[in-house]
């Protein structure tokens, strides 16, 4: 391929490499650079064949146009400027840099000394300067032709009907016998017909995938001969992670699009977990692979009193400076790319407080949030916050913009403590199962904004929650020091796997009780993939580095009975109108002075303030009455976390019918109920009382 000896001026937009049929336009932001060089490589990225200076600067964007080239070109940048760590500048033209807008990344990153902008082992540490060239082993970008905009096939599941299923691309199918071997652990495995059949049987509406943007494992992990299985260490926000590519398609990009199309055809949404809080370049002693060498002082939050160090609000060494206009632009451009090119239905933002931080703290009016809501593309997708980071005042549950949903860790902790330790009173439990009204209602947020979960990828699985009192993370090679030590778990009398019938029965009861609580609470439920079949991680509550059978779902050990139980609960949730997610409890005229939600003690009397705070008597009845115009029945949910059975006097006289009782071997066996109902220990039951001209026969 003949390459010109110089670049034309080109244009400053769009950022990245853009193909137009006659050549490629290159545009790179750097506010503090003095010169930017475009380096062209051979097809596999091992040899630099041309180096050309970007000839023009518009504002803070350096740009140039290379004629006669097309998609497939491999390139990187060398950026010149001051090397003044004490002022936050770490330019080093000896380091080849990855384009932040790279759509496809060439090479496999290895932790070599040559990637560091400073001289490893030098007495001055990160203040020293490395003159070792790293181009041969550096990651490069490949110019790609963007796919045609994805057809608008998004299922657009109503927020109030959403049931989330959190999963890892590889772990989901790596051990699935019905998925062809070459597709296991890949994007096409996620959308294989056997998996779609499973999703549809359960009734989940939305798959939430752990990060699928290009990432690299941390040095301390690879030094232990492990990897970052979860992939929460990003480097390329526009590039599809290639480790989940089956290589039965033309590229990771094509395969990801094919997965999305198949899941949309099946009526399923896809949310991806995104990590715009830090990058893989780590702290001041980290490598110079992209952002650090392009404009460290712009891309990262620096310590005000010592700009030679990054602010570490993430525990990963650096914090992306989303408050900077060009960094805000990059994040928004990245999000739009995933929506327009692949049809992504939403995003879950890891450590989301960090993206809303200004100079003096978190702000719901931060530029990122305002721009997100104004964008005609992004304002149509679901957005979920992990509402905290590790910085000062970083815990922000209930404080995100009104259209955002939020992971509710208060729900998680209360559900665990109530069922496993009887350590939450009825008042706290009632608030959590009604979408944490004390957190969200006062800020005019809908109940659906509370993403309720008992387990997630980060921590014990549901099976392990009732099997282990303590973490068992020895496989992580950190002497079992990593992972949270306070899990509110309960082994039911014996640590680990057992054949003791009494222990197994109690574990089964508690799993059912927590699943029933989760899937019939107000709010948006999130189910961890595998919990519906009793998946274990062998007591590992921090399996972020376990790309093996510890993390992969073992489909040979599935529990069909538990799967059917979960599926029935989701069906019940979807058909019943007495528990709306789009509104809070309010007074109605149905049957006189009733509310659509009233709480009763087991004696059938309305709860008093003293009873709400009682730490000993924990059994509770919630009576839901449909709002005006809804012809569904009244529903009574009975909760008994006690160690003995409790007799409930049902709050209204009439022909009550039992929908389910988690104590029963067949929980969804219908039965007529009289005015009293005895609920055994560690169990949940639901009963219905039809309103006039209402029938429930066959509804569930």
């Amino acid at each position: 391929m003949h390459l010109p000896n110089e670049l034309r001026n080109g244009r400053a937009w769009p950022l990245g490499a853009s193909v137009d049929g006659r050549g490629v336009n290159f545009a790179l932001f750097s506010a503090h650079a003095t010169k930017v060089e475009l380096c062209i490589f051979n097809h596999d990225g091992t040899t630099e064949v041309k180096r050309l200076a970007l000839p023009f600067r518009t504002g803070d964007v350096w740009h140039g146009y290379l004629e006669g080239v097309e998609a497939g070109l491999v390139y990187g940048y060398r950026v010149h400027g001051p090397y003044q760590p004490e002022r936050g500048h770490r330019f080093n033209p000896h380091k080849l840099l990855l384009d932040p807008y790279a759509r496809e990344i060439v090479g496999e990153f290895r932790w070599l000394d040559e990637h560091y902008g400073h001289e490893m082992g030098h007495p001055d540490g990160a203040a020293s300067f490395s003159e070792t060239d790293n181009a041969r082993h550096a990651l490069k970008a490949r110019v790609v032709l963007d796919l045609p905009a994805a057809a608008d096939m998004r299922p657009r599941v109503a927020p109030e009907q959403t049931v989330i299923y959190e999963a890892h691309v590889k772990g989901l199918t790596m051990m699935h016998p019905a998925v062809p071997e070459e597709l296991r652990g890949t994007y096409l495995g996620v959308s294989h017909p056997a998996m779609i059949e499973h999703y549809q049987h359960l009734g989940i509406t939305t798959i939430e995938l752990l990060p699928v943007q290009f990432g690299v494992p941390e040095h301390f992990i690879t030094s232990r001969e492990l990897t970052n299985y979860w992939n929460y260490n990003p480097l390329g926000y526009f590039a599809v992670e290639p480790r989940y590519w089956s290589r039965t398609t033309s590229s990771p990009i094509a395969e990801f699009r094919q997965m999305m199309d198949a899941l949309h055809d099946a009526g399923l949404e896809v949310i991806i977990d995104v990590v715009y809080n830090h990058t893989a370049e780590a702290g001041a002693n980290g490598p110079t692979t992209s952002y650090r060498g392009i404009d460290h002082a712009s891309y990262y939050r620096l310590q005000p009193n010592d700009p030679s160090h990054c602010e570490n609000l993430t525990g990963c060494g650096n914090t992306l400076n989303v408050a900077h206009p060009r960094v805000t632009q990059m994040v928004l451009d990245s999000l739009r790319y995933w929506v327009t090119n692949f049809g992504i239905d939403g995003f879950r933002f890891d450590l989301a407080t960090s993206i809303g931080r200004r100079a003096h703290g978190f702000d719901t009016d931060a530029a990122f949030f305002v721009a997100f809501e104004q964008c005609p593309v992004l304002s149509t997708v679901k957005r979920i916050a992990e509402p905290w980071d590790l910085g000062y005042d970083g815990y922000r549950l209930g404080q995100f913009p009104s259209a955002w949903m939020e992971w509710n860790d208060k729900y998680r902790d209360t559900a665990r403590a109530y069922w496993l330790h009887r350590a939450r009173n009825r008042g706290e439990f009632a608030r959590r199962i009604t979408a944490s009204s004390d957190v969200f209602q006062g800020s005019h947020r809908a109940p659906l904004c509370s993403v309720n979960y008992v387990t997630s990828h980060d921590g014990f699985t549901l099976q392990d929650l009732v099997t282990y009192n303590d973490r068992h993370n020895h496989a992580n090679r950190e002497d079992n020091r990593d992972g949270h030590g306070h899990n509110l778990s309960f082994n039911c009398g014996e640590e680990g796997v057992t054949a003791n019938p009494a222990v197994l029965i109690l574990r089964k009861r508690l799993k059912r009780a927590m699943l029933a609580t989760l899937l019939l609470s107000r709010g948006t439920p999130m189910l961890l993939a595998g919990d519906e079949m009793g998946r274990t991680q062998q007591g590992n509550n921090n399996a972020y580095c376990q790309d093996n059978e510890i993390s992969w779902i073992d489909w040979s050990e599935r529990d069909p009975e538990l799967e059917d139980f979960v599926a029935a609960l989701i069906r019940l949730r979807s058909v019943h109108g007495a528990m709306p997610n789009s509104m809070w409890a309010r007074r109605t005229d149905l049957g006189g002075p009733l509310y659509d939600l009233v709480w009763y003690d087991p004696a059938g009397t309305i709860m008093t303030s003293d009873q709400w705070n009682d730490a000993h008597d924990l059994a509770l009845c919630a009576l839901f009455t449909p709002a005006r115009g809804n012809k569904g029945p009244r529903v009574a949910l009975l909760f008994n976390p006690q160690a003995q059975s409790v007799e409930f006097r049902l709050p209204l006289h009439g022909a009550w019918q039992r929908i389910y009782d988690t104590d029963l071997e067949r929980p969804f066996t219908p039965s007529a109920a009289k005015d009293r109902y005895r609920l055994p220990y560690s169990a949940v039951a639901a009963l219905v009382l039809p309103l006039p001209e209402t029938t429930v026969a066959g509804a569930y």
Side-chain angles (χ1 to χ4, degrees):
M1 176 178 59
H2 174 72
L3 294 171
N5 291 321
E6 61 180 15
L7 297 166
R8 291 169 48 191
N9 286 348
R11 61 178 185 266
W13 54 271
L15 293 172
S18 308
V19 186
D20 65 7
R22 298 182 302 275
V24 178
N25 189 81
F26 296 90
L28 179 74
F29 158 74
S30 180
H32 299 99
T34 57
K35 179 182 178 181
V36 176
E37 293 176 304
L38 172 70
C39 303
I40 308 299
F41 287 77
N42 65 341
H43 187 74
D44 64 4
T46 57
T47 304
E48 185 175 341
V49 298
K50 199 79 167 181
R51 190 181 302 188
L52 300 167
L54 293 185
F56 210 80
R57 175 174 181 167
T58 302
D60 291 330
V61 177
W62 299 77
H63 52 92
Y65 183 87
L66 187 61
E67 292 184 301
V69 295
E70 56 189 13
L73 190 76
V74 177
Y75 71 99
Y77 291 111
R78 296 179 188 272
V79 181
H80 300 250
Y83 190 81
Q84 300 170 334
E86 71 281 1
R87 298 181 61 186
H89 299 311
R90 295 181 177 273
F91 294 99
N92 188 333
H94 300 289
K95 309 304 170 184
L96 190 84
L97 305 173
L98 181 68
D99 185 352
Y101 278 69
R103 302 311 204 245
E104 183 178 320
I105 296 175
V106 178
E108 183 175 343
F109 185 79
R110 290 184 295 145
W111 288 91
L112 304 173
D113 288 356
E114 65 194 48
H115 293 314
Y116 292 81
H118 58 280
E119 187 176 335
M120 299 296 285
H122 193 281
D124 293 337
S128 64
F129 184 77
S130 169
E131 296 183 356
T132 304
D133 194 277
N134 74 330
R136 180 172 178 80
H137 300 110
L139 296 172
K140 291 98 181 171
R142 191 187 305 278
V143 177
V144 299
L145 190 62
D146 283 346
L147 298 172
D152 193 2
M153 301 164 54
R154 287 168 31 207
R156 299 182 188 274
V157 175
E160 60 269 20
Q161 295 297 324
T162 300
V163 178
I164 298 171
Y165 186 72
E166 190 197 26
H168 186 283
V169 170
K170 187 172 185 179
L172 195 57
T173 65
M174 197 63 189
M175 299 179 69
H176 200 303
V179 175
E181 188 171 354
E182 67 273 15
L183 301 184
R184 294 176 190 169
T186 71
Y187 298 117
L188 292 187
V190 174
S191 60
H192 187 271
M195 293 306 305
I196 289 176
E197 181 182 359
H198 181 68
Y199 310 142
Q200 292 178 333
H201 169 64
L202 289 179
I204 59 102
T205 67
T206 306
I207 302 168
E208 182 178 309
L209 296 176
L210 268 64
V212 293
Q213 296 170 324
F214 186 94
V216 299
E218 296 88 341
H219 185 244
F220 77 90
I221 298 177
T222 59
S223 66
R224 302 199 307 267
E225 298 182 338
L226 297 169
T227 190
N228 189 326
Y229 170 71
W230 288 349
N231 195 31
Y232 281 91
N233 202 40
L235 191 61
Y237 291 114
F238 293 77
V240 176
E241 173 55 56
R243 76 176 90 169
Y244 312 132
W245 175 34
S246 70
R247 288 176 166 74
T248 64
T249 56
S250 60
S251 69
I253 294 172
E255 182 162 321
F256 194 89
R257 174 73 166 265
Q258 188 173 331
M259 175 197 75
M260 291 296 303
D261 289 347
L263 293 172
H264 282 169
D265 282 344
L268 294 160
E269 291 185 317
V270 178
I271 289 173
I272 60 173
D273 204 330
V274 289
V275 187
Y276 296 108
N277 56 73
H278 79 280
T279 79
E281 291 186 308
N285 293 318
T288 297
T289 57
S290 180
Y291 312 90
R292 173 160 290 136
I294 293 171
D295 195 341
H296 180 77
S298 294
Y299 275 109
Y300 294 116
R301 294 178 64 99
L302 306 181
Q303 293 184 15
N305 298 324
D306 184 5
S308 67
H309 288 83
C310 297
E311 284 192 328
N312 185 11
L313 307 177
T314 64
C316 301
N318 66 56
T319 305
L320 204 62
N321 186 18
V322 182
H324 189 287
R326 286 295 186 178
V327 183
T328 300
Q329 178 188 0
M330 181 193 71
V331 174
L332 294 169
D333 286 346
S334 167
L335 294 169
R336 277 189 289 265
Y337 173 77
W338 287 87
V339 175
T340 58
N341 280 262
F342 302 112
I344 288 295
D345 300 282
F347 303 94
R348 181 265 188 188
F349 292 85
D350 184 65
L351 298 182
T353 297
S354 66
I355 65 175
R357 283 187 180 270
R358 291 180 168 175
H360 302 292
F362 179 79
D363 188 348
T364 55
D365 292 325
F368 172 80
F369 294 132
V370 174
F372 194 106
E373 299 306 324
Q374 292 176 341
C375 175
V377 173
L378 297 178
S379 61
T380 67
V381 304
K382 291 182 168 71
R383 45 276 207 196
I384 303 173
E386 182 182 41
W388 51 80
D389 66 15
L390 304 187
Y392 172 74
D393 208 18
Y395 187 77
R396 294 287 176 165
L397 179 66
Q399 298 176 47
F400 277 72
S402 59
W404 285 60
M405 296 185 283
E406 301 177 35
W407 271 29
N408 189 345
D409 62 326
K410 287 188 175 183
Y411 181 97
R412 175 199 64 198
D413 292 349
T414 297
R416 292 181 180 190
Y418 181 80
W419 286 111
L420 302 183
H421 298 282
R422 308 182 187 101
R424 290 291 190 275
N425 61 41
R426 286 177 285 194
E428 177 69 8
F429 181 70
R431 283 190 288 269
R432 300 301 150 239
I433 68 171
T434 53
S436 295
S437 55
D438 58 324
V439 175
F440 292 100
Q441 188 175 11
S443 55
H444 307 290
R445 311 278 295 283
L448 57 87
C449 291
S450 174
V451 176
N452 302 329
Y453 64 104
V454 177
T455 58
S456 69
H457 71 275
D458 189 3
F460 280 139
T461 66
L462 184 66
Q463 179 66 39
D464 289 353
L465 195 62
V466 297
T467 305
Y468 299 94
N469 283 348
D470 303 307
R471 65 192 179 206
H472 294 266
N473 298 352
H474 303 283
N476 296 356
R477 303 178 184 175
E478 295 185 49
D479 299 324
N480 202 35
R481 298 189 307 268
D482 64 301
H484 211 294
H486 182 62
N487 298 285
L488 295 169
S489 59
F490 174 46
N491 67 13
C492 299
E494 293 187 19
E495 186 78 355
V497 177
T498 182
N500 185 324
V503 172
L504 294 176
I505 288 172
L506 181 55
R507 289 176 179 175
K508 179 179 179 179
R509 297 179 69 86
L510 290 171
K511 286 193 296 182
R512 282 185 172 184
M514 287 188 286
L515 286 167
T517 301
L518 171 66
L519 292 169
L520 291 179
S521 293
R522 279 184 169 173
T524 300
M526 185 182 78
L527 180 70
L528 175 63
D531 277 356
E532 75 276 18
M533 61 182 75
R535 177 174 80 97
T536 177
Q537 290 181 168
Q538 303 169 34
N540 193 319
N541 76 345
N542 190 34
Y544 74 103
C545 57
Q546 298 299 324
D547 188 2
N548 51 46
E549 290 85 351
I550 291 176
S551 295
W552 303 340
I553 296 175
D554 186 353
W555 292 83
S556 68
E557 298 292 331
R558 62 196 300 180
D559 182 346
E561 182 183 279
L562 188 60
E563 289 180 41
D564 290 344
F565 175 72
V566 170
L569 286 171
I570 293 175
R571 285 197 301 274
L572 175 61
R573 178 184 183 88
S574 67
V575 302
H576 212 285
M579 298 170 280
N581 255 340
S582 57
M583 63 185 76
W584 297 100
R586 67 189 195 283
R587 188 180 185 91
T588 75
D589 295 323
L590 294 174
L594 291 176
Y595 292 81
D596 70 347
L597 172 58
V598 184
W599 302 94
Y600 296 88
D601 65 13
T605 59
I606 293 177
M607 291 283 294
T608 66
S609 58
D610 289 341
Q611 288 177 311
W612 282 123
N613 297 313
D614 191 318
H616 303 289
D617 293 331
L618 301 178
L620 183 66
C621 170
L623 178 66
F624 294 87
T625 298
R628 187 199 304 249
N630 189 323
K631 296 185 178 299
R634 293 186 173 97
V635 178
L637 296 181
L638 312 181
F639 302 94
N640 179 22
Q642 309 282 136
Q644 63 282 330
S645 65
V646 171
E647 183 175 76
F648 285 84
R649 183 182 181 91
L650 299 177
L652 297 173
H653 296 290
W656 287 97
Q657 300 176 44
R658 183 183 67 210
I659 304 174
Y660 74 85
D661 184 335
T662 62
D663 170 68
L664 301 174
E665 190 64 29
R666 299 183 62 187
F668 285 83
T669 303
S671 174
K674 297 183 179 180
D675 291 343
R676 297 178 184 272
Y677 190 88
R678 179 163 293 277
L679 184 61
Y681 71 98
S682 300
V684 182
L687 299 93
V688 295
L689 179 65
L691 294 171
E693 302 179 2
T694 298
T695 179
V696 294
Y700 312 107

